[in-house]
């Protein structure tokens, strides 16, 4: 999503390359790129105009700090960076502030009314929202099937209710306003604290149905009236929102189908035009694909800096913090086996698709490199391989020799070299983690675990330096399309990767563990050079070579001793 807008900002930033300051003349081209991309993305014209005026005002003539010292490290910012920061702040201002709370009734039942055009995603969102409320507020929900016009509508909601394990109210023959008010005592009897009304859709705004909604509102006095809007309809979404708001005084908007090829214009205009906040984003058809709307997050995504905050939230919700810390300790002690690895994979799987996950990381701000296929099936494959290992093999992967690898491969329907490839990657990762982990105090600073918020500090740094992914994306997958860990490939851990790690850690104010320093010292001179010598050689070729040499040496020794 949002590719059009992203491209505009990227081009604009590039236009400012090479300039030492932002001036009236050099900013014009950049602003034009943004204007075109915003209009193409269907952002409302006045919104675009005002946005650009504000950006321009802030950007010109402001003193730009290009160099700062932080913790002894010198950091540089270009006028392009500065410009993007201004755009980011303005985007946040345009879409914010954050307002994702559900208004809860001070006493008694909390009522939520869902309204919107036909097919916008009301019913699906009703289900998603119930699931969200049960998780976040720990309140039991009840759904009300108040769409009596579309034949399958009631069944659709009942299926959702069943899947969520929540009661669904409907009485054939009743009118929608009757259904909604009757549902309140029904919900109470079922020990529910929140009731959600799924109303009928309309093709266009029509008066009869609008009056029906007004009548439901008058009879039930809902604390929340949410308009569900399909983001794909662009500017029309904004018009619809204005009209619904005029009649029903909306609490907020849920934008759906932002996972599709929506151009994202609605997200930027709705708040500005209607004054009503976007509360949630629908990011897919399944029940877990609802995100709380955070302008910061969307602004970062639009600008291509990834959505670190969103990622952190996902981690926090899914990963049990205490357990994560234990995991981290174990991983970092190098005392990490295949069973733990499998658990990690399952956690990642719970967080959604790999592609989703990666797209939200800052390293891939400019989109995933072409040709990279982040295949979720890869996780399934890895799971299957580990699944056909014996318990002992999982605990001590070093036991897996050639014949065991053949057996495991048969068991999961993969090739022997798949099994071996996985083992190599696993070992590489384990030894790397072991090296890093032997320094106390470092633990919480590694991303992915308890203090993942540390990542935030790294925002704005050049991550490509750390991951080495820029223009080198192809290294992320091997010949068989397997996903590789950055810096730790089947060829071992590369010198460059260690140097990148060290640079990142220094910048983040982390101490460099002695083991790592040792590695760095021993590779001095190799830094950054093309074809630098890998430090830990684990590739098959090299291993063979080494074994050959060792064998030759052994034989020579034998010969010598025989001679004696
Ligand atoms: N990709 C994607 N599809 C969605 C999303 N939300 C809903 N859908 C799909 O959109 C279609 C319509 O969704 P519904 O929830 O039935 O829409 P509705 O507004 O209740 O439709 P009516 O009751 O007919 O007015 C379904 O196929 C949903 O699976 C979303 O966030 N992303
Ligand atoms: Mg519906």
């Amino acid at each position: 999503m949002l590719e059009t807008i992203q491209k505009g900002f990227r081009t604009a930033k590039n236009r400012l390359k090479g300039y030492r300051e932002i001036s009236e003349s050099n900013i014009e081209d950049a602003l034009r790129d943004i204007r075109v991309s915003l209009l193409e993305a269907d952002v409302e014209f006045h919104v675009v105009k005002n946005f650009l005026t504000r950006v321009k005002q802030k950007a010109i003539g402001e003193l730009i700090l290009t160099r700062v010292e932080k913790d002894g490290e010198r950091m540089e910012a270009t006028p392009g960076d500065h410009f993007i920061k201004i755009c980011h702040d303005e985007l946040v201002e345009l879409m914010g502030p954050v307002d994702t709370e559900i208004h809860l009734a001070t006493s008694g039942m909390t009522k939520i009314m869902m309204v919107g055009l036909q097919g916008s995603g009301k019913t699906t969102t009703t289900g998603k929202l119930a699931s969200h409320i049960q998780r976040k507020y720990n309140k039991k929900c009840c759904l009300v099937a108040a769409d009596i016009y579309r034949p399958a509508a009631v069944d659709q909601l009942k299926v959702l209710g069943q899947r969520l394990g929540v009661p669904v109210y409907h009485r054939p023959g009743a009118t929608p306003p009757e259904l909604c008010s009757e549902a309140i005592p029904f919900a109470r009897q079922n020990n529910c604290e929140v009731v959600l009304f799924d109303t009928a859709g309309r093709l266009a705004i029509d008066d009869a149905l609008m009056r029906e909604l007004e009548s439901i509102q008058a009879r039930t006095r809902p604390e929340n009236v949410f308009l569900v809007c399909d983001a794909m309809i662009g500017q029309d979404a904004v018009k619809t929102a204005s009209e619904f708001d005029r009649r029903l005084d909306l609490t907020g908007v849920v934008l759906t189908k932002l996972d599709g090829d929506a151009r994202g214009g609605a997200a930027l205009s709705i708040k500005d035009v209607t004054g009503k906040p976007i509360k949630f984003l629908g990011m897919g058809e399944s029940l877990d694909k609802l995100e709380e709307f955070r302008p910061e997050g969307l602004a970062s995504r639009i600008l291509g800096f990834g959505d670190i905050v969103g990622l952190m939230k996902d981690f926090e919700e899914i990963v049990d913090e205490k357990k994560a810390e234990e995991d981290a300790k174990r991983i970092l002690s190098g005392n990490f086996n295949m069973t733990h690895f499998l658990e990690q994979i399952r956690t990642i799987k719970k967080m959604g698709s790999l592609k989703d996950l990666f797209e939200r990381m800052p390293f891939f701000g400019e989109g995933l490199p072409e040709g990279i296929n982040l295949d979720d099936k890869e996780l399934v494959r890895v799971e299957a391989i580990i699944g056909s290992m014996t318990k002992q093999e999982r605990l001590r992967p070093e036991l897996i020799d050639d014949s065991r690898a053949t057996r495991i491969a048969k068991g999961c329907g993969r090739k022997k070299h798949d099994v071996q490839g996985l083992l190599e990657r696993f070992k590489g990762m384990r030894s790397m983690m072991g090296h890093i982990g032997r320094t106390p105090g470092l633990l919480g600073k590694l991303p992915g675990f308890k203090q993942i918020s540390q990542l935030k500090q790294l925002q704005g740094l050049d991550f490509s330096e750390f991951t080495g992914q820029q223009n080198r994306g192809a290294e992320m997958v091997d010949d068989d399309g397997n996903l590789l860990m950055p810096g730790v490939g089947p060829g071992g851990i590369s010198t460059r990767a260690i140097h990148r790690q060290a640079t990142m850690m220094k910048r983040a104010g982390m101490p460099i563990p002695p083991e790592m320093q040792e590695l760095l010292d021993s590779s001095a001179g190799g830094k950054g050079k093309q074809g630098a010598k890998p430090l830990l050689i684990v590739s098959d070729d090299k291993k063979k070579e080494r074994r050959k040499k060792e064998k030759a040496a052994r034989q020579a020794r034998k010969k010598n001793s025989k001679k004696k």
Side-chain angles (χ1 to χ4, degrees):
M1 80 181 210
L2 304 171
E3 280 89 3
T4 327
I5 309 185
Q6 274 176 2
K7 211 171 131 221
F9 279 105
R10 224 178 297 149
T11 326
K13 183 172 183 263
N14 287 338
R15 286 220 193 257
L16 294 169
K17 235 182 207 158
Y19 289 112
R20 298 183 63 179
E21 60 184 68
I22 297 174
S23 70
E24 187 95 36
S25 57
N26 63 23
I27 200 177
E28 277 310 323
D29 288 340
L31 291 177
R32 193 178 323 116
D33 291 328
I34 296 177
R35 182 182 304 118
V36 171
S37 72
L38 289 177
L39 291 174
E40 247 173 53
D42 223 0
V43 181
E44 211 263 347
F45 176 74
H46 292 98
V47 175
V48 176
K49 198 167 158 236
N50 295 337
F51 173 77
L52 292 173
T53 309
R54 285 194 301 271
V55 168
K56 188 174 170 181
Q57 266 169 5
K58 285 203 178 162
I60 294 178
E62 201 173 274
L63 191 67
I64 300 173
L65 269 185
T66 51
R67 286 208 183 103
V68 283
E69 289 251 331
K70 192 172 169 246
D71 303 332
E73 286 280 327
R74 207 170 71 182
M75 306 216 281
E76 293 195 24
T78 64
D81 294 336
H82 183 77
F83 179 72
I84 287 293
K85 172 71 171 55
I86 292 174
C87 292
H88 176 269
D89 293 351
E90 281 307 316
L91 281 175
V92 172
E93 184 83 1
L94 185 65
M95 299 186 286
V98 182
D99 180 7
T100 57
E101 288 304 303
I102 303 284
H103 299 168
L104 297 174
T106 39
S107 67
M109 193 68 63
T110 296
K111 290 138 280 164
I112 302 174
M113 183 171 165
M114 310 293 288
V115 303
L117 296 182
Q118 209 165 68
S120 56
K122 288 179 296 303
T123 307
T124 315
T125 309
T126 306
K128 288 177 180 176
L129 207 52
S131 160
H132 169 80
I133 292 169
Q134 309 218 91
R135 246 181 310 132
K136 181 167 174 185
Y137 298 91
N138 201 17
K139 292 195 180 296
K140 195 174 165 196
C141 293
C142 168
L143 312 180
V144 184
D147 177 358
I148 56 169
Y149 308 100
R150 195 162 60 83
V154 178
D155 288 336
Q156 189 192 354
L157 197 70
K158 279 189 177 159
V159 170
L160 281 181
Q162 237 164 24
R163 217 180 297 158
L164 291 167
V166 303
V168 175
Y169 182 75
H170 182 74
R171 179 170 67 84
T175 65
E178 280 167 358
L179 281 168
C180 292
S181 45
E182 285 168 17
I184 297 168
F186 170 85
R188 206 173 292 128
Q189 278 158 22
N190 282 278
N191 302 318
C192 297
E193 293 169 271
V194 181
V195 54
L196 295 103
F197 309 137
D198 178 31
T199 66
R202 45 229 69 218
L203 266 178
I205 295 177
D206 88 56
D207 201 53
L209 280 163
M210 219 40 142
R211 264 186 276 133
E212 179 182 296
L213 292 180
E214 284 169 336
S215 155
I216 294 176
Q217 189 177 33
R219 284 176 76 157
T220 60
R221 305 203 161 276
E223 288 76 13
N224 309 270
V225 183
F226 291 147
L227 174 72
V228 180
C229 248
D230 180 340
M232 286 205 255
I233 65 174
Q235 279 214 50
D236 285 341
V238 181
K239 276 189 219 130
T240 311
S242 303
E243 184 56 18
F244 270 95
D245 188 40
R246 197 174 64 78
R247 306 281 294 249
L248 297 165
D249 188 18
L250 302 172
T251 318
V253 179
V254 182
L255 274 186
T256 62
K257 310 189 193 178
L258 268 164
D259 52 313
D261 47 7
R263 286 167 296 171
L268 265 67
S269 329
I270 270 191
K271 168 73 200 302
D272 203 46
V273 175
T274 64
K276 293 298 156 75
I278 301 175
K279 292 267 189 184
F280 299 95
L281 302 181
M283 301 296 295
E285 297 191 55
S286 63
L287 285 173
D288 57 340
K289 290 280 184 261
L290 186 77
E291 285 183 11
E292 292 188 337
F293 177 68
R294 278 162 287 99
E296 279 267 354
L298 194 58
S300 298
R301 251 191 261 177
I302 288 174
L303 294 171
F305 296 140
D307 186 345
I308 298 182
V309 191
L311 190 66
M312 276 165 45
K313 280 208 157 189
D314 280 357
F315 265 111
E316 281 162 10
E317 270 202 10
I318 287 163
V319 179
D320 171 349
E321 268 198 17
K322 199 157 154 267
K323 193 173 161 304
E325 196 173 344
E326 278 164 18
D327 283 351
K329 269 190 195 144
R330 198 171 42 222
I331 293 171
L332 291 176
S333 67
N335 184 10
F336 177 58
N337 61 44
M338 283 283 175
T339 312
H340 304 133
F341 192 36
L342 191 60
E343 273 174 34
Q344 298 285 322
I345 290 173
R346 294 200 169 132
T347 308
I348 294 175
K349 271 173 75 184
K350 272 199 266 179
M351 293 175 59
S353 86
L354 268 184
K355 190 157 178 288
D356 269 6
L357 198 66
F358 272 70
E359 275 184 349
R360 291 162 63 180
M361 306 236 257
F363 333 129
F364 303 105
E366 307 216 339
L368 285 176
E370 258 182 57
I372 295 261
N373 183 15
L374 277 183
D375 190 356
D376 286 307
K377 285 190 206 120
E378 176 59 16
L379 288 182
V380 179
R381 279 182 217 125
V382 172
E383 222 181 332
I385 294 179
I386 303 179
S388 60
M389 292 177 186
T390 65
K391 198 173 162 198
Q392 221 192 1
E393 285 162 353
R394 284 187 214 178
L395 297 178
R396 294 179 54 205
E398 52 281 0
L399 287 178
I400 302 173
D401 54 14
D402 230 51
S403 76
R404 281 181 190 244
T406 311
R407 194 209 75 238
I408 293 167
K410 262 195 197 147
C412 60
R414 306 292 307 168
K415 298 229 169 66
K416 189 170 86 183
H417 78 258
D418 294 333
V419 179
Q420 286 165 336
L422 173 68
L423 286 171
E424 296 282 71
R425 274 185 280 157
F426 173 77
K427 282 182 204 159
M429 181 169 123
R430 185 167 67 173
S431 83
M432 176 77 173
M433 291 301 182
H435 278 297
I436 295 174
R438 266 172 251 143
T439 304
L442 200 63
L443 170 67
K445 291 182 179 161
L446 272 194
F449 302 106
K450 192 174 166 221
Q451 275 115 326
I452 191 165
S453 59
Q454 291 274 348
L455 258 180
K456 257 177 149 175
Q457 293 183 357
L458 304 181
Q459 252 176 325
L461 293 183
D462 182 4
F463 273 88
S464 59
E465 213 176 321
F466 156 47
T467 62
Q469 297 308 351
Q470 207 174 46
N471 305 323
R472 302 178 57 216
E475 284 183 18
M476 283 183 59
V477 278
D478 66 15
D479 296 343
D480 293 318
N482 294 320
L483 182 69
L484 305 174
M485 308 280 169
V488 186
I493 298 174
S494 84
T495 319
R496 292 171 71 123
I498 304 248
H499 279 283
R500 280 195 300 269
Q501 284 268 6
T503 310
M504 184 207 71
M505 287 162 71
K506 275 187 206 155
R507 285 192 176 179
M510 302 182 193
I512 301 294
E515 287 84 358
M516 194 167 186
Q517 192 58 53
E518 229 171 77
L519 292 175
L520 289 169
D521 293 344
S522 69
S523 72
K527 181 182 173 182
K529 266 193 206 154
Q530 208 58 41
K533 205 173 90 202
L535 288 166
L536 305 172
I537 303 165
V538 289
S539 81
D540 280 347
D541 277 357
K542 303 265 175 172
K543 257 192 201 162
K544 263 187 214 153
E545 218 172 272
R546 200 170 57 196
R547 268 193 229 120
K548 233 186 198 169
K549 270 190 197 159
E550 281 168 5
K551 198 175 164 194
R554 260 201 316 275
Q555 280 171 344
R557 271 200 305 274
K558 245 187 204 171
K559 253 188 195 168
N560 276 341
S561 67
K562 265 184 194 165
K563 268 186 199 164
K564 279 176 197 169

